[in-house]
Amino acid sequence: MKKLTLILTMLCTTWLLGFSQQSRISGKVTSSEGGAPAEGVSVLVKGTKKGTRTNSAGEFTINASTGQTLVLSGIGFSSKEVLVNGNQLDITLASTSSSLNEVVVVGYGTQKKANLTGSVVALKQEDLLKRQVATASNLLQGLAPGVTVTQQSGRPGADGASIRIRGLSSIYAGQSPLIMVDGVVSSLDAIDPNAIESITILKDAASTAIYGTRAANGVILVKTIRAKGKGVKVSYNSFVSKQIATAMPERTTAIEHMELSNVAEQNRTGSPTAFLFQQSLIDKYKTTKANNLDVIDNDWVDLLFTNSALMQNHNVTLNSGGENTNVFTSVTYLDQQGLIPNNSYKRYDIRFNPDFKLRKNLTLSGVFNYNFSKNTSPSTSSPEFIIRQAIGLPAIGAAKFGPGMYGTAGQTNNRNPLAQAEAAGTSVSENNSFLSKIALNYKPIESLELEAYWSREHWTPHGKTFTKNADIYVPNLVTSAYDKISQWPGSTSLGESYSSNTRNTMLAQATFTQNFGNHRLKLLAGGQSEEFLYEGISASRTGFNNPDQPYLNLGAADRNNAGSAYQTALAGFYARLNYSFDDKYLLEVNGRYDGSSRFSQALNKQWGFFPSASAGWIFSKEKFFDGLSDLISFGKIRASYGLLGNQALPEIYPFAVNYQTSTYSNPNNGTSTYLNNVTTLGYALLDAPNPGITWENSAQMNVGVDLTVKRNLTLTFDYYKRTISDILLVRPIPSYIGLSAPFVNAGDMTNTGWEVSANYKANISKKFKLDATLMLSDVVNEVTALPGVPYLDAGSERSAVGQALWSYFGYQSIGYFKDASDITSSPVQFGVPYSATTANGPKPGDVKYADIGGPDGKPDGIIDAFDRTFIGNSFPRYEYSVNLNLSYANFDLNLFGQGVGMRKNYLSGTGAIPFNSSDFVASLLSIHKDYWTPTNTNATFPRLLPSGSGGTNFVASDKWIRSAAYFRIKNINLGYRLPSSVINRLKITGAKVYVSGQNLLTFTDTWNGFDPEINSQTGQFYPLMKTFTVGVNLNF
Amino acid sequence: MKKIFTYSFLILLVALGGCDKFLDRQPLDSISSETFLATEQEMELGLNGVYAASFWALANNTPLHFAIESATDLAIKRTGNSEDQVAMGDGGPFLVGNGLTSTAWSQAYKLVSRANYLLDGMKKGQAAAAPKTYSRIRAEGLVLRAWAYYHLIGWFGDPIFYTKPLLPSEYETLSRTPVATAAQELYKDLDEAASLFDAAGASPIILYGRVNKGVALGLKAKLAMLIKDNKTAAAASKAVIDMNAYGLNPRYTDLFMLAGQRNNANREILFAQTYPTDVLDPQNWLAVLTIPRQVGTSQSSHFPSQALFDRYEMKDGKRIDQSAQYDPKNPSANRDNRLKWTIYSQGDTMVHNTAKSPSLPYVQPKERTIYNIYTNVRIKWNWSTNKYDNVASNIDWIGFLNSPWFAGSTGSSGGVGYVWSKYIDSTQYSWETKTGYILMRYADVLLTYAEAKIELNEIDPTVFTAINAVRARAGQPAVTTGTQAALRELIRRERAVELAGEGVRLMDLRRWDIYNKAMTGPVVGVSLNLTDPAAAPSFDADGVPNYTATLAKRLKTRNQTRENTNAKYKLWPIPQGELDKNPNLKQNPGW
């Protein structure tokens, strides 16, 4: 505090010295583009050294005499000389590069884009609303280099994308960026895109360190709209979209299924006469039309995809501006239907953002947001599993004979995906959420701004999963009718859960801004606290007699209930210093002292300090650069470094472990004892606690260049290195500890990458405007240390030092075995030598693997687990996007394409394996028809084998790793603004109609029917959607 | 307004200042390591969790102590298993990664760890707990931890002696503590436990399955014997005797039957590994493991040895090589009663319960078989005709007479002509047996006392009283005089025959320094031909039988020879993984 007083005194002194006998001139500077206040414009009295700068409202005061000339100059504006002819001047500066003048939201404040020293991407509403999607996370795809947005599902209510900023950062802890909406932690998918004014993505440590323990994965700041201007404006925005699966594998017909099943059986047995389906049956199918009785030929996907898959969104916003009161209101309704029955998502969103000017220097503002969502899906299996069955089931499986009459699907357990989707009950989750935020903003003096807010968000998810019976019928060939044979699943049940979730956020901060001469100083200091409280209950019963009364009271048996609760809290103190000299030399220093309840208070592990610093040099302002300024109108070099934390460990209380209980006592994890031969419940620690656990740490270095070439081409380049340390690992511990190994902070990894973006804006003619953006980025992840752990395995993926996190790990295939002598002269495959007489072991047409290792690391003539190696990973590289905005007169067109230059995708399960036997009796896909035969040796697939007999053909190998590189036309949006003649007649102020389409075209090498954006395909997915949209915006 | 704002701003800052309380969030809906053991009830639950860790077993519901017994000279385990590898020594081969020794290591240390968490964690609730309850729980925790360390010392030598919960940073810093140092600490713990039991007013026995004052002192005596501190052993076992709280069950066989254990006449059982009768799992599968396969669904995997069989005295109190009563053609006649209570041999009627009857109690059907190893016939009781039937295909114990017994890989038997009868409780279905496995009983305390006094050469009437109490129950004549050497040989024999199969043998071999000798030699069995039987073996001064002279006439299982002359076999090896993780640990000599 003493230091602050000293600085204040010094500043005041400087300011006082500036007074002279001249009169005081005040003025306001606005930009030619949109009339926005021009902040930070230098104002000099010509021929003197007297100068000042405009504040955030564009205002300035200076002492000058009438007749003197003021020279105004600022980044992004043409310089201008103004004659002093009164005490109040209103000056408009011609904007040269408007984007540089933009004020962007940064952590706990704003910053002029030109003065940014960190790596920050700012997006405005108009950038976002060109795509019509249900969830805001998808809007970010391709709009910010280094921000990897991957959508893995098109399922209504669950189609949000995962966001990774600058690579993968952890093994067990959270990798998602911190998302703050109006200063409150939130999720991008919880916010209505219609209410977003801007999104800022903070990528480097300099920008994020002010968020301390939550900054390591980057930060996304969302600002919702606040009312502007005077008067009342109402707008209505609406669209309707038809959704279609981007890709579905083509299925085989009943005849193909039977014939190929026989081929597979013949291959398995080695007998050319072996069969699973009699030829007479196949012949009957060839001569008789499918009758759903004794000739059944179903396309399960067609039968299942009967929902409308329509999405509609209606939004009304009201913008009311008054003398002292501004109110923004938004009401939105979204309805998204899925591909399959009983699968939909609904959302209502009501937002009220008022601002009250209580005094000239005191503002009260609020955010009130009510949000309701309802997510419906079938209860007995996930929609993804139901779709996988539809892809995989044989066409000869009976599906449905009439309303409520379902077939067995050819399964002994009678599980029929159609019955599951239509008749076996639904799982509904509803969520009511209410957010209130009240903020006060007070400016006791011009240079000091105090701000405080309190927000409370409360949401109460309610889940209800009701399972009821579907009737299963079989055809009766004698009566030509259908006999009911059983019910599926055979029992009824209801599970319900309620929870209460509360997040309280408090903040108080002060910003001090002062300019003296060419020195500009901005100081920010504040504190923030946040707590999250959860409490939930759940209950379930079985034995419901009436399928229309899904209420717990009516369940006869298995009455179960449970309750749970947890809490977290965070507190932090942060500060930032911005200093610039002569608008050329920029310096920013950030720091946060952050405390988290997730760590041990007893061991003093809760608090950490996270500093960062960045500097920039606007070299284009240097004298020596004058000659080049026509070519390069703006040029900046920046560099940053900072330390960050990641407190999102997998446990809420990682410093503690639970004492656990189990009735069964076995020597390994039993906790009960049997005193007097009676089970006596006990509690014991099974996992070792690590009270000393702490956040994962990271350091990030970033260097960047921003250039504006010829005033309308802007280029940004960034290079960074993220070094992540203290990554949580489970390191095996000696067994004399008597407990399972705890998480310890031990591992290291790095992400090294670069990002380029180029934007070209041109007004080719008065009517024809062009705005094009190209982006390209790459990041390489490398695990650099896993102390005490040789590697981590997760199925077909492995993490090891020197490799990217979770790289695919498997065998190297070298084609197919040509013939018996090829097998006998090759290394022994998985310990089974060639035998012509048994079904076991490799045969011609099986996948041949390379002998690359052995117990001592050298090829040993045996194919076994030692012959596995790293065969790529699924994290995208060379991500790029093209975003083209054209407007001609009243038309505007957005073309947006996004792609990935290099990526691997491992295909397994129903997708890769003909007659894949896990979970159900399956058929094969059309792609599988290209199988190996002595005459088709270049086939995609090995020789055909029946269910469960694929031998070693489908072990994880590079054979099933396919390139998932793609380029996709993500969006085409063509809009037409109604001409004023029409608008006037309609007595409205503006109207626009548009059509748009998403994911319309895809270029990829992945197998037909498999979306390249979905990772590690097993045939179990909810397809991404190709959408066709019609929309309208009306302004009143 | 300005003031209001300024004040609220300041209040906010102050509120933020109260951070420590704000950030102190503990698990709410679970029992957290940070807060647990704060109340009496929680301490009881935590103690039960420690007891759970004293439940030591291998796969197949095999009590660990019984598995270890099968790796001693008194027993045999089916070939190829980890117990067999340990017993075979060089011929096993007994390697560092052996499953039996690794399991014993990790299960015992799990008990140490859990006891440490209890003893440390319960301190936070001491003020709130009733002193008597607190004392008893602490005492039980101390005894259970000492129980683990007693075994670790006996099995592996110098223990990793730690008595507090550890932080992960400390895990790999521990090193081994000399046995003598650890033992002194354990003496203190056990003395404290004994006095805490007194303070709690819960001294003699609390509940079947719990440890008590008798166990505390009895364990102290066993530990003292292990480190040859006979003085302490004598005093501690005397203290148990002087409690007058325990005695011998007049019916030896009741000790090994569920009903008899529940009754626990005279509280002979001080401590046992108990099993639940209210739920199905776990069971004690001693019967499953020992019943021959052809009798019913069972394992045929654990067997008594010839060396045990031959140690039982004749009814006249003499060793078989010394008594005129011994008939090599009918070797089980006129023997110490404990022979039949422990071992089924040729001609004995075996009753097993290997098939679950439709309703409780599982009494029928029982398999009654006359043990017959010399013809290819199984003599099986027919419950319908109430007669014995001769059933062909007596494969389990015939067929090896012409070729080495079960040299093949079927492994359905590896016995030498004997089957355990101890712990066979045919009132229970063998696959659901709930009989407890005895870990300490009063007869052991009496014999420990006698042995300690003999070793101290303080041979007074109390020594004979103790020995004769045990012998009298078995119907063996009293011993009234003897030299120290003679009594030493006697007490060692007495321990073997009284406690066979009860998991104390390995420690006995270790402390008598006869492991290498007793565990070396061919695995022999019954006479191949009863018309030309093998004579009784000779016995050395330590009571170890020598079969060299009769080898040709004896069954030699698998033609195998136990090879444990290497001095390294005096201790088990520490599992390699432990040494790899902690360089401060040093392997036992020779391994």
Side-chain angles (χ1 to χ4, degrees), chain B residues 194-222:
Chain B
S195 63
L196 286 170
F197 279 123
D198 282 340
S203 305
I205 201 155
I206 304 154
L207 203 62
Y208 170 53
R210 279 199 190 281
V211 295
N212 48 63
K213 185 182 174 187
V215 178
L217 295 171
L219 178 59
K220 188 184 175 196
K222 283 162 93 76

Side-chain angles (χ1 to χ4, degrees), chain A residues 661-685:
Chain A
T661 187
S662 64
T663 51
Y664 180 67
S665 182
N666 70 42
N668 297 317
N669 53 21
T671 65
S672 293
T673 185
Y674 309 112
L675 307 173
N676 273 3
N677 298 111
V678 175
T679 307
T680 316
L681 216 58
Y683 280 79
L685 278 185

Side-chain angles (χ1 to χ4, degrees), chain A residues 67-78:
Chain A
Q68 283 187 303
T69 302
L70 300 183
V71 181
L72 288 88
S73 60
I75 297 163
F77 296 104
S78 307

Side-chain angles (χ1 to χ4, degrees), chain A residues 33-318:
Chain A
E33 190 151 306
E39 188 193 359
V41 172
S42 142
V43 182
L44 271 172
V45 181
K46 197 171 181 181
T48 72
K49 287 185 174 173
K50 279 190 293 188
T52 184
R53 277 176 194 276
T54 56
N55 63 18
S56 59
E59 295 157 350
F60 69 93
T61 53
I62 197 164
N63 292 303
S65 324
T66 307
Q68 283 187 303
T69 302
L70 300 183
V71 181
L72 288 88
S73 60
I75 297 163
F77 296 104
S78 307
S79 295
K80 188 170 186 176
E81 298 195 356
V82 179
L83 196 67
V84 179
N85 56 4
N87 286 345
Q88 179 65 40
L89 299 172
D90 280 319
I91 303 161
T92 302
L93 286 186
S95 163
T96 52
S97 174
S98 61
S99 72
L100 288 170
N101 276 324
E102 276 168 23
V103 172
V104 302
V105 175
V106 296
Y108 301 105
T110 56
Q111 176 69 281
K112 219 166 101 172
K113 202 167 177 183
N115 289 342
L116 287 171
T117 47
S119 183
V120 171
V121 177
L123 303 167
K124 289 173 292 186
Q125 191 190 26
E126 62 255 37
D127 301 323
L128 303 167
L129 285 187
K130 287 180 178 129
R131 293 181 65 187
Q132 283 70 48
V133 293
T135 45
S137 54
N138 286 311
L139 294 174
L140 296 180
Q141 192 178 35
L143 292 186
V147 179
T148 302
V149 177
T150 49
Q151 189 189 359
Q152 293 291 304
S153 171
R155 176 174 162 186
D159 57 353
S162 88
I163 300 173
R164 298 285 177 266
I165 297 178
R166 296 187 159 179
L168 300 168
S169 56
S170 183
I171 298 169
Y172 297 104
Q175 303 203 51
S176 298
L178 171 68
I179 292 166
M180 304 282 269
V181 177
D182 293 327
V184 177
V185 172
S186 185
S187 146
L188 272 184
D189 294 330
I191 183 155
D192 174 23
N194 291 295
I196 299 175
E197 180 173 298
S198 71
I199 293 181
T200 308
I201 303 168
L202 310 177
K203 297 192 287 191
D204 69 335
S207 315
T208 63
I210 202 154
Y211 291 99
T213 59
R214 292 183 288 179
N217 300 324
V219 179
I220 296 179
L221 303 174
V222 178
K223 184 171 183 287
T224 61
I225 300 173
R226 312 216 62 95
K228 282 176 216 66
K230 295 272 193 293
V232 177
K233 281 174 262 173
V234 178
S235 83
Y236 170 70
N237 310 293
S238 171
F239 66 80
V240 179
S241 300
K242 171 71 183 170
Q243 308 172 96
I244 297 170
T246 51
M248 283 300 285
E250 194 186 316
R251 283 79 59 197
T252 47
T253 64
I255 294 170
E256 286 172 326
H257 170 72
M258 291 189 285
E259 289 181 339
L260 294 172
S261 295
N262 286 351
V263 169
E265 183 65 6
Q266 286 149 17
N267 285 342
R268 183 182 74 82
T269 57
S271 157
T273 55
F275 63 87
L276 292 172
F277 295 94
Q278 292 192 340
Q279 190 58 43
S280 58
L281 181 67
I282 299 172
D283 291 341
K284 183 176 177 185
Y285 266 74
K286 282 181 176 165
T287 54
T288 316
K289 208 168 161 252
N291 56 18
N292 223 3
L293 190 69
D294 59 345
V295 176
I296 293 174
D297 191 356
N298 286 317
D299 185 330
W300 284 96
V301 172
D302 278 0
L303 291 171
L304 186 67
F305 283 13
T306 53
N307 200 352
S308 67
L310 280 178
M311 172 161 74
Q312 49 179 316
N313 185 303
H314 304 281
N315 162 253
V316 178
T317 63
L318 181 143

Side-chain angles (χ1 to χ4, degrees), chain A residues 362 440 442 531 564-565 567 601 606 657-659 664 667-668 670 674 676-677 679 681 683 735-737, chain B residues 2 20 25 29-31 33 45 48 107 110 113-114 162 171 208 262 274-275 277-278 281 578 582:
Chain A
L362 182 63
L440 274 172
Y442 176 48
E531 66 176 342
S564 58
Q567 300 183 348
Q601 195 163 84
Q606 291 191 317
V657 293
N658 291 343
Y659 269 83
Y664 180 67
N668 297 317
Y674 309 112
N676 273 3
N677 298 111
T679 307
L681 216 58
Y683 280 79
S735 57
Y736 60 73
I737 301 305
Chain B
K2 273 186 193 175
D20 275 359
R25 308 280 167 147
D29 60 359
S30 54
I31 296 184
S33 55
L45 292 169
N48 291 342
Q107 292 192 358
K110 189 183 292 274
S113 170
R114 286 200 188 170
Y162 70 106
Y171 289 170
Y208 170 53
R262 298 287 285 274
T274 52
Y275 292 78
T277 51
D278 54 342
D281 287 318
E578 309 289 274
N582 180 356

